[in-house]
Every structure is written in structure tokens, then in C-alpha cells.
Amino acid sequence: MTEFKLTRRQFGLLAASAAAAGLLPIPARAANGSLVAATFPGNWEDAYRRVLTPLVSEAGYDLTIAPALAQDQLAKVMASPGAPAYDTLLMSPGQMAIALENDLIQKIDTSRLSNWSKLDPAFQGEYGPTVTVEVNGIAYNPDLVPAPKGYADLFENPAYAGKVSWTGFGSNTAVMAYTQLAKIYGSGPEDMDAVFKLFADHPENLAGVVDSTNSQMSLYQQGEIAVFMCSTGNVAKLKSLGLNAEFVHPETGSPAAPVNIHLTKGSNNLDAAYAYMDAAISQAAQEQLTLPPTEMFPTNMDVALTPGIEAFVTRDTIPSLVYPDWALINKNRPDWIRAFDALVMG
């Protein structure tokens, strides 16, 4: 029997999926090589393909956007650290800490990024630039439910019974909400037994558990749910589709997560990777990404906030958002995932 082995590049291209390949434009073939960039699926995938592919192509490189959740990016790179599936990773601080512990990413040479000086210093990480800050809270349909005050309202106000959707602890958005609930109902963010008891006491909320925020977006569009934990970007996307959706800052504060591009150790094409990073923090790209359907907070100081973004967050309020203790989350997350899955499965 003939044995087939996928090269790292072939694997990355497969991970990008046939849909991705079908949507890619056909630029003049790059003379300098190609890049496989891991990107969150859904809104991020669409936006980065639409906005960054032409900019990277202009720099002389082919860009393949490979959609994968941060946890899945980690798993694939850890599976083959000597020949990583991706040249760059897109992650929040929780996954970045794991990538560092496992020696999967490397420090960057900032002199190779022409737009580096345009970043707010808070977003100039030695392991890669912050491209936006995701602000999290609660999305709701004002046609179906009143505006929630916060996370506790979703369990204590009968108006939300059976209308709220949650996801598992693999989701950053979900785990940030759960640590907030643990502070409200327990002794602190680590007291997840209090959250599991809360769900056990409210089985109507377990009926709305699905596998991802993307699934929640679909359920919301179909009118099957009225509330879910989200980022402001999720609400921007729903509004762009013509749906009635609003965002609420929880009364206990809005969890937030910087999103960073990291350079994978063993990347085959460093020049292309730097071109991609530079495009992502450029004024040209971030101005487009501040518009619907993404409305991403820009980290490039030359990019003005739109009224839509300023309705949720300003540059002055970014430091006051709730930034979780990712070391605590990473330490407990596997156990929390198992406990939550067991609870959902009954």
C-alpha cells in the first residue's frame, strides 16, 4: 500500500477548507512565497480574507486564511511542532500563555513592521502585535426580551427562561462569562462549582447549550434564541444582516480579550509572515475593519473610532474593562470542560 504523508503546507491548505479556496481571489502568483495564517472562523475569517489577502498580495505573497478556533490552532501546532500547520496564529492571552509554555511561538523583530510605531504601546507585544481588543457582554433581541442588567438577570428574571444560549468552556467568550458568574454566585472566579450548581438549578438554561458562538449566531438568526454571550463584533454582524440585536455591558463589567498575531516557531516563510502582520496593523486594513460587519476596535492610533464602536468602547475605557486571570483559567480549564460536558450530557 502506498503511504501518503501530508507536508505542513498541504495540511494548512486542507485546514483552510474547500470553501476558503473557492473564495480566494487569484492574484498574480507571488514570487516570494506563501503564508498559512490561522484565523478564527466566521466573521474573522471572512474579514481577514477580504481585507488582508489583497494587501499581502500587493506585498508579493500568497495568503491562505485557515479558519480554526484558538484551542484548535494550539492542538494542531502542538501535534507537529517541528513542522507547524500555520505560519502565524491568532490568539488571546490565554492560548498565548500555553503557546509560550510549549515553545510554539517566537519573539518578533519589530524593525520588520513598518506600522509598528503606529500601535499604542499597550498593543506592542514582544511576541506579536495586538490587532484588536474584543469587548464581551450580552447580546439580546429587543423584540423578544427586555435588556438584561447582567449575567445574574439571565437566571433570576423569568423573562429569560428558555431563551438564553450558552456554550462550553472551550470558548473564550463563554469562559470569561463563567468566571464572572463564579464571582457573583461563588467565592471568586475560580469557584466554578457555584456555576455548575446554578445550571443544575436552572435546567432551562442547559437546553440552550451549543458548541460555539457561530452556532449561537445561527440560532439567533432563526429566532430560536433571544440572548447569548457575545462580543460587540457578533452584534455588529447580526445588525449587518438586518437583524434586531443589541449589546449590553453586564453590570459587573465587560470582560475583554486582546487578540494577537503570533509568529509560529518553524514558520517556513518569515518574510510573508511579517508582511501579513504589517498588513493587519496598517491603517488601510484597520479602517476597513472598523466598518460593519466587523466593527473591530482599531489598535493603530491613526485610525479613528467609528460612532458604532464608540457606542461600546473608547480608547479611554479600554484599560477599565475586565481582563480575566488567564493563568487561573488555563490551570482549571480542562477540569471545567469535563465537568460542564458531564452536566450537559446529564
Side-chain angles (χ1 to χ4, degrees):
M1 179 182 290
T2 303
E3 181 180 3
F4 292 95
K5 291 183 179 179
L6 293 177
T7 66
R8 183 193 70 90
R9 184 67 50 188
Q10 288 169 326
F11 179 81
L13 291 171
L14 285 173
S17 82
L23 289 171
L24 280 172
I26 306 176
R29 297 306 299 174
N32 298 322
S34 60
L35 168 81
V36 179
T39 310
F40 305 145
N43 216 19
W44 274 87
E45 172 192 353
D46 296 340
Y48 265 39
R49 183 174 293 117
R50 171 175 52 84
V51 174
L52 296 189
T53 298
L55 293 175
V56 175
S57 179
E58 287 175 12
Y61 304 96
D62 285 339
L63 170 63
T64 297
I65 297 292
L69 296 173
Q71 293 289 94
D72 295 333
Q73 295 175 37
L74 273 177
K76 289 179 180 175
V77 176
M78 290 175 73
S80 55
Y86 312 112
D87 293 288
T88 62
L89 306 175
L90 189 69
M91 294 179 166
S92 297
Q95 284 82 22
M96 173 190 161
I98 297 173
L100 277 173
E101 290 171 4
N102 289 276
D103 199 27
L104 301 176
I105 57 177
Q106 55 186 305
K107 291 183 179 179
I108 64 169
D109 178 358
T110 60
S111 69
R112 301 185 68 171
L113 300 176
S114 64
N115 293 297
W116 185 253
S117 63
K118 303 296 184 182
L119 292 177
D120 183 305
F123 303 134
Q124 296 175 336
E126 61 181 343
Y127 285 93
T130 299
V131 294
T132 191
V133 177
E134 282 200 339
V135 179
N136 285 257
I138 303 170
Y140 73 98
N141 185 337
D143 292 334
L144 301 177
V145 291
K149 298 175 183 174
Y151 300 115
D153 217 15
L154 304 179
F155 292 88
E156 297 173 1
N157 187 336
Y160 304 106
K163 298 177 180 175
V164 185
S165 176
W166 301 86
T167 62
F169 279 76
S171 160
N172 282 348
T173 296
V175 79
M176 288 191 286
Y178 294 143
T179 54
Q180 291 290 87
L181 279 167
K183 288 192 285 187
I184 297 170
Y185 290 97
S187 58
E190 198 170 7
D191 188 3
M192 212 52 68
D193 285 344
V195 178
F196 297 143
K197 181 180 185 305
L198 187 66
F199 276 107
D201 291 343
H202 294 270
E204 71 277 10
N205 275 307
L206 284 173
V209 173
V210 293
D211 62 346
S212 69
T213 303
N214 286 332
S215 296
Q216 291 175 316
M217 294 279 282
S218 297
L219 292 176
Y220 190 97
Q221 293 174 58
Q222 295 161 11
E224 297 183 37
I225 62 171
V227 183
F228 66 103
M229 307 314 104
C230 72
S231 69
T232 57
N234 296 129
V235 173
K237 176 67 174 181
L238 291 171
K239 287 186 173 182
S240 74
L241 296 173
L243 296 165
N244 199 2
E246 296 296 338
F247 177 87
V248 166
H249 289 285
E251 57 191 352
T252 50
S254 291
V259 180
N260 310 296
I261 294 178
H262 300 296
L263 181 58
T264 313
K265 275 202 169 179
S267 168
N268 271 352
N269 195 332
L270 293 181
D271 291 339
Y274 280 111
Y276 167 69
M277 283 188 196
D278 210 30
I281 59 174
S282 68
Q283 182 175 0
Q286 294 209 352
E287 283 183 342
Q288 292 186 66
L289 295 170
T290 60
L291 302 175
T294 48
E295 296 194 49
M296 293 183 183
F297 178 86
T299 53
N300 185 313
M301 295 295 289
D302 288 344
V303 179
L305 303 188
T306 64
I309 293 174
E310 285 187 316
F312 301 129
V313 62
T314 68
R315 295 194 188 280
D316 290 339
T317 58
I318 282 287
S320 65
L321 299 172
V322 178
Y323 294 91
D325 181 346
W326 287 104
L328 181 151
I329 291 173
N330 288 340
K331 180 183 70 174
N332 292 288
R333 199 167 195 166
D335 289 339
W336 291 346
I337 288 173
R338 284 190 288 273
F340 187 75
D341 288 349
L343 183 66
V344 172
M345 295 299 292

